Amino acid sequence: MGSAGIDLIPLLLCAGAVIALEAAAQWINADPLMVTAAIRLIDICLVLGIIYIFHRRISIIGLSLKTAASGIWHGVLWAGGFGGLVLVVSGILYVFGISPLSLIQIQVPENAGRLILFIIIGGVIGPVAEEFVFRGLFYSFLRRWGLLAALIGSTALFVLAHQPAAGIPVPQIVGGVVFALSYEVSKSLITPMIIHVSGNLSLFMLGLIDQLF
C-alpha cells in the first residue's frame, strides 16, 4: 500500500454519511435484517460514489480489474491459512478442556427463511460493506503515516464499531489485524473481503451447530 491514500474531505464525507445512516436505521420501524441490508448496500454505494467523485478512480482503495484476480487468489489463500490456524488453536483449547464454541456465542435464527437472510446479510453484505469502510477508507487514509498507524487505527475503529461485550474483544482484534495485513500485502480490497466473508460464514455455521447440538 503506497503512502498516497484518500484525502481528508472524502474520508469525512463517507464517514459522516455512514454514521448518519447507521443512526437513522435505529428509527426505522421495519424488519431489522432488511433495514441492515439496505443500509449496508447504501454504505457501499456512497463510498464508491464519493471516492470516485473526488479521486476519479476507485483503485485508490484497492479495487481494480488489474488486481481483482490476484486479490481473489490471495483471499482464498489467507482464508485457508487463517482457517487452518483457527483449527489448530481450537484443538489446543480442547486439550485444555475449553470448548471453542463456548467462546463464540453467536445466535442464529431458527426459522429457515430468516436463517438464509441472516447468512446473506450478516455473512456477505455486512462484511463487504465493513471492508469498504474500515480498510478501504480508514486504512487507506491512515497508511500515509505508516503501516503501524494504519494497522492500529483501522483495527481500533473496527473493534469500537462492533461494540464488544465486557472483556477483551479477541475476535474483533484478530480479525481487524488479519484483514488489514492481507490488504497491505495483496494491495486489493477483495482479499480482506473474502477473508471477512469466509470468517463470518464459518462463525455462523459454528453457531448453528452449537444451537443444534
Side-chain angles (χ1 to χ4, degrees), residues 187-210:
K187 308 296 187 291
S188 173
L189 192 61
I190 294 176
T191 299
M193 284 180 181
I194 291 176
I195 303 170
H196 200 159
V197 167
S198 63
N200 275 29
L201 291 177
S202 297
L203 287 175
F204 295 163
M205 183 61 66
L206 290 174
L208 180 60
I209 292 174
D210 190 39

Side-chain angles (χ1 to χ4, degrees), residues 140-211:
S140 175
F141 178 77
L142 294 171
R143 186 61 180 82
R144 70 195 66 209
W145 291 293
L147 171 60
L148 191 59
L151 183 65
I152 294 175
S154 62
T155 299
L157 290 170
F158 181 69
V159 171
L160 289 173
H162 283 78
Q163 300 176 341
I168 301 175
V170 176
Q172 289 82 9
I173 293 174
V174 173
V177 170
V178 170
F179 304 149
L181 288 177
S182 71
Y183 183 37
E184 174 73 27
V185 172
S186 70
K187 308 296 187 291
S188 173
L189 192 61
I190 294 176
T191 299
M193 284 180 181
I194 291 176
I195 303 170
H196 200 159
V197 167
S198 63
N200 275 29
L201 291 177
S202 297
L203 287 175
F204 295 163
M205 183 61 66
L206 290 174
L208 180 60
I209 292 174
D210 190 39
Q211 285 183 202

Side-chain angles (χ1 to χ4, degrees), residues 24-36 38 114:
Q26 307 301 316
W27 299 94
I28 299 176
N29 185 23
D31 183 347
L33 275 177
M34 299 308 296
V35 170
T36 298
R114 300 291 293 175

Side-chain angles (χ1 to χ4, degrees), residues 46-112:
L46 281 174
V47 170
L48 285 173
I50 292 172
I51 292 299
Y52 186 78
I53 289 172
F54 279 86
H55 292 281
R56 295 301 176 186
R57 58 192 177 95
I58 59 174
S59 59
I60 197 168
I61 61 171
L63 288 176
S64 168
L65 288 176
K66 293 181 179 179
T67 61
S70 63
I72 294 172
W73 176 242
H74 277 94
V76 172
L77 289 178
W78 276 78
F82 187 54
L85 179 61
V86 169
L87 286 176
V88 171
V89 173
S90 297
I92 294 173
L93 291 174
Y94 269 120
V95 170
F96 286 93
I98 302 173
S99 172
L101 293 177
S102 66
L103 303 176
I104 298 173
Q105 298 181 347
I106 290 182
Q107 297 293 320
V108 297
E110 295 182 1
N111 177 273

